[in-house]
Amino acid sequence: MEKKNIDWANLGFSYIQTDFRFVANYKNGAWDEGALTEDANVVINECACVLQYAQTVFEGMKAYTTADGRIVTFRPDLNGERMEQSAKRLEMPVFPKDKFVEAVLKTIRANEAYVPPYGSGATLYVRPFLFGSNSVIGVKPAEEYQFRVFTTPVGPYFKGGVKPLTIRVSDFDRAAPRGTGHIKAGLNYAMSLYAIMDAHKQGYDENMYLDASTRTKVEETGGANFLFVTKDGKVVTPKSDSILPSITRRSLMQVAREYLGLEAEEREVYADELKDFAECGLCGTAAVISPVGKVVNHGNEICFPSGMNQMGPVTQKLYDTLTGIQMGTIKAPEGWVVEV
C-alpha cells in the first residue's frame, strides 16, 4: 500500500486524523460485534456518564514498520489485560482481551498507509479507549458503553529527542493509597494537568511524584514510570501499588536480565537515595526511555553522573535493545512482536 504524503521526519506528538477507527457498543448486558467506521466523531448525550463522572479508561500502544518492511505492534495482549483490570476497577464491562487484540490489529491494518516507514523516527500511535455512554445523573456506573480504537502517526514525545530532562519533586500527590493510581483511567491524568503545567511554568520538564502517605518514596511522573541505574550497573524500578504497571518498564526489566545480563530489581525507592544513582530515565510507550539529567528537590539539585547531554551508557543499551526488538533488528522473545 502506498504511504500517505506526510513529512514523517518532522512529525510532533499530536493528533492527525486517519481514515478508519473501530467502534463497538455495549447494551443490554452484551457487546456487539463492532466494526470499522470512517466517522471520527463521537455523538453522546450531554448527560453521558463519561462527561459527568469520568467513567473512562484507555490504553496507549504503537505500530512500527520493521527493517524488513513488516508492520508490527508490541505486546498487545498485555494492553488488553491492563484494560481489563482498569475496567473492572471502574465498574465497567470488560472488553475481552482476544477481541481487544483483534480490534487493534484490524484498525492498524485499515490505516496501513499511515504507518511511518522504517528509519523515519516516527510511529503509528494506537489509542484504544472505553467509556460510559448513556445518560446518568445519579452517581452510579453507566449501563451502556462504547469501546473505540483510533490511530495517529506521531513523532517523538519530547521535542529535541533524547536530551536529558530536568524534573522536580512535586508538592502535589498523583494517587492515593488504595486508590486508582494502578489503572489507566482518564481521571488520573486529569488531576495531573495542573501539576504539569505548573512544573512547565517553573522551568521543569516533568514532575516526580512521591507516595501520598509518607512522601518519602518515589512513585512515577504521571505519564511514565521511573527507571534507575546504580553505580555498579544494577537496574532498579520503584515498586508501589499506586503506580501504573508499565508494559515498557516490564519489558525493559526483562531485556536488562536476559539480553544484557544485568541485575534488575523492582523495589521501594526512597527519595533520599536519588543522589546514589548513576542514571535515571522515564519509561513508557510514548518515548520508550527519556533520560533524566537532574532532579530538583525543593532547591536541592541532584545531578546524575550520566549528565545533561546524552543518555547514560546502561540506559542507552536498554533503549537500543528494546527498540531493536520492536523494529525487528534484534530477535524478540516469543509473543512480544505481533505482525499486523
Side-chain angles (χ1 to χ4, degrees):
M1 178 181 287
E2 186 178 347
K3 296 293 185 184
K4 296 290 183 179
N5 184 21
I6 294 173
D7 184 5
W8 306 108
N10 292 306
L11 280 175
F13 200 89
S14 58
Y15 174 73
I16 296 173
Q17 184 174 311
T18 56
D19 295 339
F20 295 96
R21 63 276 313 133
F22 181 87
V23 182
N25 291 288
Y26 181 90
K27 192 173 182 178
N28 299 322
W31 286 104
D32 65 19
E33 286 301 305
L36 292 171
T37 176
E38 295 182 57
D39 188 357
N41 296 309
V42 178
V43 180
I44 50 178
N45 187 271
E46 62 188 353
C47 197
C49 189
V50 63
L51 300 179
Q52 305 307 317
Y53 303 121
Q55 198 183 21
T56 180
V57 297
F58 69 97
E59 281 296 319
M61 313 165 63
K62 284 183 176 179
Y64 316 83
T65 302
T66 63
D68 59 2
R70 296 174 299 130
I71 295 176
V72 302
T73 189
F74 186 69
R75 310 190 78 175
D77 56 320
L78 296 189
N79 290 94
E81 288 175 9
R82 191 168 65 181
M83 179 169 268
E84 286 185 359
Q85 296 306 311
S86 296
K88 288 175 182 176
R89 181 62 178 80
L90 292 193
E91 284 294 326
M92 306 170 80
V94 165
F95 193 78
K97 181 177 71 173
D98 58 338
K99 292 187 179 298
F100 174 98
V101 173
E102 182 183 327
V104 165
L105 297 180
K106 188 179 290 187
T107 309
I108 297 169
R109 202 173 294 127
N111 294 295
E112 184 180 339
Y114 290 92
V115 181
Y118 175 77
S120 64
T123 54
L124 186 73
Y125 189 80
V126 184
R127 171 57 59 86
F129 62 112
L130 170 63
F131 60 91
S133 56
N134 69 292
S135 304
V136 173
I137 196 65
V139 181
K140 62 180 181 179
E143 296 175 352
E144 298 176 9
Y145 296 84
Q146 190 167 101
F147 169 79
R148 298 177 72 100
V149 183
F150 71 80
T151 61
T152 181
V154 297
Y157 188 74
F158 289 104
K159 293 177 182 178
V162 297
K163 182 182 176 184
L165 308 174
T166 299
I167 64 177
R168 69 170 184 185
V169 174
S170 180
D171 288 326
F172 299 100
D173 292 327
R174 174 189 163 269
R178 296 174 295 281
T180 58
H182 63 294
I183 66 169
K184 205 164 177 68
L187 56 91
N188 291 337
Y189 294 79
M191 65 185 293
S192 75
L193 296 178
Y194 181 87
I196 189 61
M197 294 306 293
D198 183 66
H200 290 166
K201 288 173 186 174
Q202 302 300 322
Y204 301 101
D205 297 299
E206 259 291 2
N207 287 296
M208 172 181 281
Y209 291 105
L210 304 181
D211 71 295
S213 66
T214 72
R215 297 198 56 77
T216 60
K217 290 175 279 190
V218 175
E219 296 228 313
E220 61 163 277
T221 67
N225 283 185
F226 279 103
L227 180 147
F228 300 99
V229 180
T230 65
K231 290 175 181 173
D232 59 357
K234 181 191 294 185
V235 179
V236 177
T237 61
K239 182 177 183 178
S240 167
D241 292 333
S242 56
I243 64 176
L244 188 72
S246 164
I247 293 162
T248 303
R249 183 197 67 186
R250 290 160 63 180
S251 302
L252 286 167
M253 295 295 273
Q254 190 168 335
V255 163
R257 296 185 187 103
E258 298 180 8
Y259 283 75
L260 302 180
L262 301 173
E263 190 176 348
E265 180 182 23
E266 182 183 2
R267 63 168 174 81
E268 291 184 336
V269 174
Y270 287 84
D272 60 12
E273 288 184 72
L274 292 174
K275 65 184 184 303
D276 301 323
F277 289 116
E279 302 174 37
C280 174
L282 310 181
C283 56
T285 298
V288 183
I289 307 178
S290 294
V292 175
K294 183 192 301 182
V295 177
V296 180
N297 187 358
H298 299 88
N300 177 31
E301 290 192 354
I302 301 157
C303 300
F304 297 104
S306 52
M308 293 298 296
N309 294 316
Q310 59 189 9
M311 282 190 183
V314 175
T315 305
Q316 187 71 61
K317 287 179 184 176
L318 288 166
Y319 176 87
D320 290 344
T321 306
L322 186 59
T323 55
I325 289 169
Q326 292 171 335
M327 296 296 179
T329 59
I330 296 174
K331 184 174 173 55
E334 184 69 30
W336 276 31
V337 174
V338 177
E339 189 166 351
V340 174

